[in-house]
Amino acid sequence: MTELDVAGLQRRLAEFAAARDWGQYHTPKNLAAALSVEASELLEIFQWLTPEQSARVMEDPESAHRVADEVADVLAYLLQFCEVLGIDALAALAAKVDRNEVRYPPKPSSAEPESR
């Protein structure tokens, strides 16, 4: 059985940690540090690639697997971080996109006449 919703994944992660008595280590500070480490491991895959090579990284099965694993690690720590602090990750993202749409309005296309 696989749960592919955020709340379900957070429950699975919490149960996984609880079964191993890891909850004591899942403080906001530790989870933020772990998230940073995993994001750095994702970056390491791309460190010396050209832009063209980085765009094709998923074409190689070995590098694709590494990228997917690091993405999973980043997401796992982010979801655990949000769970510990009571942050609804999807609501936070939606609110941020709303603010960015106001903060960074689209530029008028060159085909549209400017309003005066």
Side-chain angles (χ1 to χ4, degrees):
M1 178 175 98
T2 304
E3 294 177 319
L4 293 178
D5 61 283
V6 172
L9 290 170
Q10 284 177 307
R11 272 193 309 277
R12 285 184 67 192
L13 290 165
E15 290 167 2
F16 182 88
R20 290 150 182 84
D21 197 27
W22 291 351
Q24 61 186 316
Y25 306 111
H26 288 189
T27 65
K29 175 194 142 311
N30 287 350
L31 291 168
L35 176 58
S36 176
V37 168
E38 295 301 337
S40 295
E41 289 179 7
L42 177 60
L43 177 59
E44 182 181 31
I45 296 167
F46 296 89
Q47 184 173 10
W48 302 113
L49 300 181
T50 66
E52 296 78 18
Q53 290 169 323
S54 70
R56 295 189 312 270
V57 74
M58 298 306 284
E59 294 172 7
D60 173 58
E62 185 177 331
S63 64
H65 179 74
R66 288 180 60 213
V67 169
D69 272 358
E70 295 307 334
V71 166
D73 288 342
V74 168
L75 184 56
Y77 279 120
L78 180 60
L79 291 178
Q80 289 173 88
F81 180 82
C82 289
E83 178 73 15
V84 166
L85 291 179
I87 296 169
D88 180 329
L90 297 181
L93 177 57
K96 181 67 174 188
V97 170
D98 289 345
R99 287 191 306 276
N100 282 345
E101 287 175 338
V102 172
R103 187 173 177 192
Y104 305 105
K107 295 179 181 177
S109 72
S110 57
E112 295 178 18
E114 290 187 34
S115 60
R116 295 182 184 202

